[in-house]
Amino acid sequence: MAETITDKTMDEIEILAKLCLTAEEKEKSRQEMQRMLDYVDRLNALDTKGVEPLTHLFPVQNGFREDVVCESTPREEILKNAPREKDGQFLVPKTIG
């Protein structure tokens, strides 16, 4: 049996989660959390020896594409989008005094 969730525990959860629960909401939440803990307790009782850990539902190896070096856009082409330019760089307003 999992550890019982007490009223004190519920008060601490309410503070940490910045909730303001009514007495009925607090009791319903306590019961739901207790059911979750009981279920986890049941799962912990299962014999999982020889069961390989599951990291993906489907057999995915590597979903990344190959890193290919390619031509970059010429600086002159990029600077055509700049409202102002100086020494081959974007010229922007000063933001820190």
Side-chain angles (χ1 to χ4, degrees):
M1 179 87 180
E3 183 178 326
T4 303
I5 297 179
T6 63
D7 288 334
K8 181 181 176 199
T9 304
M10 284 306 298
D11 292 338
E12 291 172 3
I13 291 171
E14 189 175 10
I15 291 168
L16 290 172
K18 298 184 186 213
L19 298 173
C20 185
L21 302 173
T22 64
E24 296 83 28
E25 291 171 329
K26 194 180 286 189
E27 180 56 26
K28 184 177 178 188
S29 297
R30 189 195 65 72
Q31 290 173 0
E32 289 174 354
M33 285 185 217
Q34 189 64 54
R35 279 200 311 269
M36 285 187 261
L37 287 179
D38 291 341
Y39 185 71
V40 169
D41 206 34
R42 284 179 44 203
L43 291 175
N44 284 335
L46 294 174
D47 180 21
T48 57
K49 289 184 184 127
V51 177
E52 198 172 319
L54 180 68
T55 57
H56 289 44
L57 189 57
F58 300 106
V60 176
Q61 299 297 2
N62 185 353
F64 299 114
R65 65 172 171 77
E66 188 70 27
D67 189 15
V68 179
V69 177
C70 59
E71 238 359 88
S72 179
T73 306
R75 181 183 300 230
E76 297 76 28
E77 187 73 23
I78 293 172
L79 288 173
K80 286 180 183 177
N81 295 312
R84 292 177 40 204
E85 174 258 325
K86 180 180 179 184
D87 299 327
Q89 299 178 12
F90 279 75
L91 185 62
V92 296
K94 187 175 182 178
T95 56
I96 298 176

